[in-house]
Amino acid sequence: MDGTPLVLDNGSGSVKVGYAGELEPKVVYENIYTALRASRHEPSKAAAEALQRSNARLHVMDHGIVSQWEGLVEVLQAALEEMKVDDPSQHPCLVTEAPLNPTVHRELLVEKLFEEMQVPSVQVAHSGPLALYATGRRTGLVVEVGDGVAQTVPLYDSYVIFNAVRRRDYGGRDLTAYLGELLSRELGYKEALANEVWWTQLQTVKERMCRVATPQSLPTSEGPKQHEYKLPDGKVLDWEQGLLSQCTEALFQPGQHLKLDEEAEGIQKMAAGSILDCSLDIQKDLAGNVVLSGGSTMFPGMCERVQEELQRLLPSAVKAKVTRVGNPTCAAFIGGSILASMPDVRKSFMTKGEYMEYGAAFIHNKSVSLTKPYLTC
Ligand SMILES: Nc1ncnc2c1ncn2[C@@H]1O[C@H](COP(=O)(O)OP(=O)(O)OP(=O)(O)O)[C@@H](O)[C@H]1O
């Protein structure tokens, strides 16, 4: 596989790594920096304190921003080791980033890839547009909700309409924490969220049993993955329990449920805002091609609910049609894999020579721009 570009979808919850041209990542690694790994370095004071409190799990990324750079390098190195990539200097590297991140974040990412991972060339692409490419479409609105970031990205003929992109810092990790809060409030559980076993159980309950409440006029065809879950004290949660659908309300009213700013927009308002910020002549095309991506759109009832709420916020002549990508957690990887396979895109990668000559900020001259088409053929 020498010379084949690597694709790194660097998410807040997990890193998906594989080769360009492949339809799924070879390795999916939790983006977690364990105490074992951290102890091999000098952890920062904040990191050391967090380790003591949290029973050894540190997230490498919070809401799309790397907070533990040495942790990221460790996670990536471990992933490449598992893929049996002996010599990363043979593989150009396409890495994803959330839209509207600070520019300095992208520069640091590039620096780490050149200095510590020894890759020969780098390209950075936003995850939202990649998810649309994974569906084979060039026009549509991506609503992506992952572990730490919610984003809405309109594309027309593969151009990203930059001024209409929206991003908010909430996602599946916040839902897991909110589920813990609901269980504590309604059923009396007092376990700390830092308790790793409890956190894993909450995440399992969320992924297997939570659902999105849909209007009665729109019964969902999707059922739960599991109907009952036995909690540590023997109490049984069943699918009908109201808190299981209340949990996901946080995506629609984050201000109310996630202790965010009262004005924080839910995903339906972000989606409507992104469409209405685009010119009138393309609004129908965008609304008719709304694509959900990211692990936190996998709740039963999600498509129906987003479609219903979005329709209410749009003019009646603009009809919303919402579908979900086939593999929501891997769509950005698949889109990146398609992109990195294109010879024209490969030519746009920033080389190590350019990095040495001009520094990491040169990536802003090279990156696949949000205002130029990603796909040219
Ligand atoms: N079946 C499911 N139902 C609901 N949530 C799920 C399901 N599967 C995974 N998730 C949640 O999706 C999130 C991970 O999604 P994803 O991999 O798209 O995010 P990420 O790329 O790591 O993060 P981000 O894109 O926000 O930086 C986690 O919070 C996980 O608990």
Side-chain angles (χ1 to χ4, degrees):
M1 292 297 241
D2 268 7
T4 309
L6 287 165
V7 179
L8 308 178
D9 176 23
N10 190 25
S12 308
S14 62
V15 182
K16 296 92 178 169
V17 191
Y19 290 109
E22 296 192 336
L23 286 177
E24 56 183 37
K26 285 246 181 294
V27 175
V28 178
Y29 251 55
E30 255 193 303
N31 221 342
I32 295 287
Y33 192 27
T34 63
L36 183 67
R37 289 187 190 134
S39 66
R40 284 198 244 137
H41 298 269
E42 294 275 320
S44 64
K45 188 161 171 278
E49 284 169 8
L51 275 174
Q52 273 171 356
R53 278 199 311 273
S54 73
N55 189 19
R57 273 163 72 97
L58 275 182
H59 287 281
V60 166
M61 290 180 75
D62 292 313
H63 302 297
I65 302 279
V66 178
S67 50
Q68 301 290 328
W69 286 100
E70 68 274 38
L72 179 68
V73 172
E74 287 266 350
V75 169
L76 294 181
Q77 281 172 342
L80 295 191
E81 213 169 286
E82 191 168 323
M83 280 174 67
K84 302 194 177 17
V85 175
D86 298 329
D87 185 2
S89 73
Q90 299 301 313
H91 300 277
C93 177
L94 181 131
V95 60
T96 68
E97 194 188 39
L100 308 178
N101 261 0
T103 52
V104 69
H105 185 269
R106 178 174 285 207
E107 291 161 23
L108 280 167
L109 190 57
V110 164
E111 185 184 308
K112 294 289 169 196
L113 289 169
F114 279 128
E115 298 283 351
E116 311 224 16
M117 304 295 296
Q118 308 301 338
V119 299
S121 57
V122 172
Q123 183 53 280
V124 185
H126 291 130
S127 51
L130 297 180
L132 191 75
Y133 303 151
T135 68
R137 298 182 210 201
R138 297 162 67 116
T139 295
L141 176 83
V142 179
V143 177
E144 183 169 297
V145 193
D147 193 56
V149 177
Q151 52 177 297
T152 52
V153 182
L155 287 99
Y156 190 78
D157 201 15
S158 87
Y159 280 83
V160 174
I161 319 286
F162 183 56
N163 64 309
V165 172
R166 296 192 175 198
R167 171 217 171 122
R168 299 289 179 269
D169 286 346
Y170 57 80
R173 201 182 305 169
D174 304 280
L175 293 186
T176 306
Y178 183 47
L179 180 63
E181 197 183 309
L182 289 171
L183 284 169
S184 152
R185 204 187 305 154
E186 297 192 16
L187 300 179
Y189 288 95
K190 294 289 174 226
E191 279 78 355
L193 292 177
N195 174 334
E196 199 175 334
V197 177
W198 180 237
W199 180 267
T200 306
Q201 284 175 327
L202 287 173
Q203 187 148 309
T204 306
V205 171
K206 179 191 76 171
E207 291 176 6
R208 295 200 188 152
M209 294 184 70
C210 283
R211 63 183 186 278
V212 169
T214 49
Q216 292 207 323
S217 58
L218 283 174
T220 170
S221 51
E222 297 170 296
K225 294 194 182 58
Q226 192 169 319
H227 280 89
E228 289 186 349
Y229 188 90
K230 204 177 208 179
L231 289 159
D233 62 354
K235 274 188 199 146
V236 174
L237 266 182
D238 76 64
W239 156 253
E240 294 298 335
Q241 203 114 14
L243 61 83
L244 295 172
S245 55
Q246 197 183 333
C247 172
T248 56
E249 285 307 299
L251 295 177
F252 298 93
Q253 292 177 303
Q256 189 182 325
H257 298 282
L258 296 181
K259 302 194 191 90
L260 297 175
D261 180 350
E262 272 295 309
E263 304 298 307
E265 286 180 321
I267 53 173
Q268 77 284 20
K269 288 195 177 155
M270 290 170 64
S274 279
I275 292 171
L276 296 174
D277 280 348
C278 294
S279 64
L280 277 175
D281 55 334
I282 65 167
Q283 289 179 2
K284 284 186 183 168
D285 290 322
L286 296 174
N289 288 286
V290 178
V291 173
L292 304 184
S293 171
S296 300
T297 64
M298 290 169 78
F299 297 104
M302 185 62 112
C303 289
E304 292 90 339
R305 175 70 179 277
V306 174
Q307 182 163 310
E308 162 93 8
E309 297 252 0
L310 180 57
Q311 192 60 71
R312 265 197 261 142
L313 296 167
L314 294 174
S316 57
V318 179
K319 298 284 177 227
K321 173 93 180 94
V322 180
T323 54
R324 185 163 46 212
V325 294
N327 189 347
T329 53
C330 293
F333 170 86
I334 296 166
S337 164
I338 295 169
L339 197 68
S341 318
M342 301 177 123
D344 278 356
V345 173
R346 296 260 284 273
K347 282 187 214 144
S348 74
F349 279 46
M350 175 176 166
T351 63
K352 183 129 188 192
E354 288 169 327
Y355 169 70
M356 303 299 279
E357 194 169 349
Y358 307 114
F362 194 67
I363 191 67
H364 306 304
N365 299 19
K366 301 290 291 188
S367 286
V368 185
S369 161
L370 278 170
T371 52
K372 289 190 191 131
Y374 278 100
L375 300 184
T376 50
C377 51

